[in-house]
């Protein structure tokens, strides 16, 4: 039953991601065609004319049909970055994660398991849920009188199961951000190539080269290059930022698990002595 819900949830998340991707491309095209391509940005009031002096919107519009794709990719990076930030912030819980971990570890080392569980209830989030599961398991193995090794294995297994339920959602859409790193560069390169083809086509024309066509071709190439690099750079920064955040959350759970196991070993050692 849980697997069916998990598969259904994955399908719905995948569908939402697909809708966001299509919407971003569409919005990118709208911005390119209606905002950047507005006649007010060009000489003569038509987007077929030359851009007005200093009008960067018109200059970007002249980048050609690859620009709306790049605009869509840039919007995807922004949208998915905000979405990941929201999800990871919720996973960290309501309060400061470092302060929460210090409090919980202090309670565990002091044998105040109920207080640690209460702290998890107040903190909430994926980390607190995983730590709470381990603490509840700690109380169970303590009542049943497991050996240190049996308890360590049982508690670690509980943490792994809790983490497998809590953490996968954090990594969703990160693959999209990592893909956008390459797509931004490739789309920008494609626009560069098409722009240079137009530029060389103007040079190859019979008689005097069409200077306007040559300038437009070079402009298209440079605009697409700049937009593609900007998109990839932003995607790299956000991907690495969120990956480090997830690593921190995972490390916090593992650290709490080790503290719980060590506390149980001290408890068993006190019984033997």
């Amino acid at each position: 039953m849980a697997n069916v819900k998990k598969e259904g949830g994955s399908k719905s998340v995948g569908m939402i991601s697909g809708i966001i991707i299509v919407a971003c491309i569409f919005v990118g095209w709208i911005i390119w065609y209606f905002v950047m391509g507005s006649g007010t940005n060009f000489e003569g009031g038509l987007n077929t004319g030359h851009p007005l002096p200093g009008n960067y919107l018109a200059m970007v519009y002249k980048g050609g049909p690859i620009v709306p794709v790049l605009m869509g990719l840039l919007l995807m990076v922004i949208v998915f970055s905000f979405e990941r930030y929201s999800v990871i912030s919720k996973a960290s819980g309501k309060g400061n994660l470092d302060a929460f971990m210090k409090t919980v570890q202090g309670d565990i080392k002091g044998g105040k398991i109920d207080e640690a569980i209460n702290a998890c209830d107040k903190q909430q989030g994926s980390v607190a849920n995983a730590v709470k599961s381990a603490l509840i398991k700690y109380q169970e193995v303590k009542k049943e009188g497991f050996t240190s090794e049996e308890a360590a294995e049982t508690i670690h297994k509980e943490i792994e199961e809790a983490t497998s339920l809590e953490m996968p959602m954090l990594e969703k859409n990160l693959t999209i951000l990592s893909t956008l790193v390459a797509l931004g560069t490739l789309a920008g390169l494609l626009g560069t190539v098409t722009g240079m083809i137009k530029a060389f086509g103007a040079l190859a024309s019979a008689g005097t080269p069409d200077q306007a066509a040559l300038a437009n071709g070079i402009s298209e190439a440079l605009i697409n290059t700049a937009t593609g690099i900007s998109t990839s750079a932003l995607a790299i920064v956000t991907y690495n930022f969120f990956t480090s955040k997830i690593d921190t959350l995972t490390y916090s759970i593992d650290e709490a698990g080790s503290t719980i196991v060590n506390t149980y070993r001290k408890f068993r050692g006190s019984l033997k002595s």
Side-chain angles (χ1 to χ4, degrees), residues 21 73 76-77 173-186 231-232 235 239:
I21 290 171
L73 295 178
M76 285 180 217
V77 174
N173 296 331
L174 278 184
T175 52
I176 295 177
L177 284 175
S178 63
T179 303
L180 289 172
V181 173
L183 283 180
T185 304
L186 292 174
T231 301
S232 295
Y239 176 79

Side-chain angles (χ1 to χ4, degrees), residues 121-179:
D121 290 334
K122 292 178 181 178
Q123 178 74 8
Q124 299 182 4
S126 297
V127 175
N129 291 340
V131 174
K132 181 181 177 180
S133 298
L135 290 171
I136 293 173
K137 183 59 67 175
Y138 170 88
Q139 290 180 323
E140 292 177 0
V141 298
K142 189 175 179 180
K143 289 178 181 178
E144 295 176 11
F146 283 15
T147 64
S148 295
E149 294 305 318
E150 289 175 336
E153 184 179 349
T154 303
I155 292 171
H156 280 307
K157 185 177 180 181
E158 181 66 22
I159 291 174
E160 289 176 0
E161 290 178 356
T163 304
S164 67
L165 291 174
E166 295 287 346
M167 303 304 283
M169 280 300 295
L170 300 180
E171 298 178 351
K172 286 186 179 296
N173 296 331
L174 278 184
T175 52
I176 295 177
L177 284 175
S178 63
T179 303

Side-chain angles (χ1 to χ4, degrees), residues 27-255:
V27 172
W29 179 83
I30 289 176
I31 294 173
W32 174 75
Y33 189 81
F34 291 102
V35 178
M36 296 179 176
S38 173
T40 57
N41 298 325
F42 298 86
E43 295 177 355
L46 296 174
N47 57 22
T48 53
H50 293 291
L52 292 173
N55 193 307
Y56 292 103
L57 291 177
M59 293 178 187
V60 175
Y61 175 81
K62 288 297 185 179
I66 303 298
V67 171
V69 176
L70 289 168
M71 292 290 294
L73 295 178
L74 182 59
L75 285 172
M76 285 180 217
V77 174
I78 295 171
V79 170
F80 284 115
S81 294
F82 276 109
E83 184 266 344
R84 284 297 88 195
Y85 182 79
S86 174
V87 171
I88 292 175
S89 296
K90 288 181 180 178
S92 299
K94 292 184 176 180
N96 182 272
L97 183 60
D98 292 334
F100 163 72
M101 291 304 301
K102 288 180 181 178
T103 301
V104 168
Q105 288 182 347
D107 290 338
I108 294 171
K109 291 176 181 178
K112 303 175 183 177
I113 304 303
D114 290 332
E115 286 83 346
I117 292 175
N118 290 333
C120 292
D121 290 334
K122 292 178 181 178
Q123 178 74 8
Q124 299 182 4
S126 297
V127 175
N129 291 340
V131 174
K132 181 181 177 180
S133 298
L135 290 171
I136 293 173
K137 183 59 67 175
Y138 170 88
Q139 290 180 323
E140 292 177 0
V141 298
K142 189 175 179 180
K143 289 178 181 178
E144 295 176 11
F146 283 15
T147 64
S148 295
E149 294 305 318
E150 289 175 336
E153 184 179 349
T154 303
I155 292 171
H156 280 307
K157 185 177 180 181
E158 181 66 22
I159 291 174
E160 289 176 0
E161 290 178 356
T163 304
S164 67
L165 291 174
E166 295 287 346
M167 303 304 283
M169 280 300 295
L170 300 180
E171 298 178 351
K172 286 186 179 296
N173 296 331
L174 278 184
T175 52
I176 295 177
L177 284 175
S178 63
T179 303
L180 289 172
V181 173
L183 283 180
T185 304
L186 292 174
L189 181 61
L190 178 61
T192 302
V193 172
T194 56
M196 294 308 296
I197 289 173
K198 292 179 181 179
F200 284 114
L203 284 174
S205 60
T208 305
D210 189 341
Q211 293 183 356
L214 176 61
N216 286 336
I218 295 175
S219 176
E220 178 177 334
L222 295 177
I223 288 168
N224 284 293
T225 301
T227 309
I229 291 174
S230 301
T231 301
S232 295
L234 181 59
I236 290 172
V237 171
T238 54
Y239 176 79
N240 289 332
F241 174 77
F242 293 128
T243 300
S244 65
K245 284 286 187 182
I246 293 172
D247 289 342
T248 300
L249 297 179
T250 306
Y251 174 76
S252 298
I253 294 173
D254 292 339
E255 189 179 17

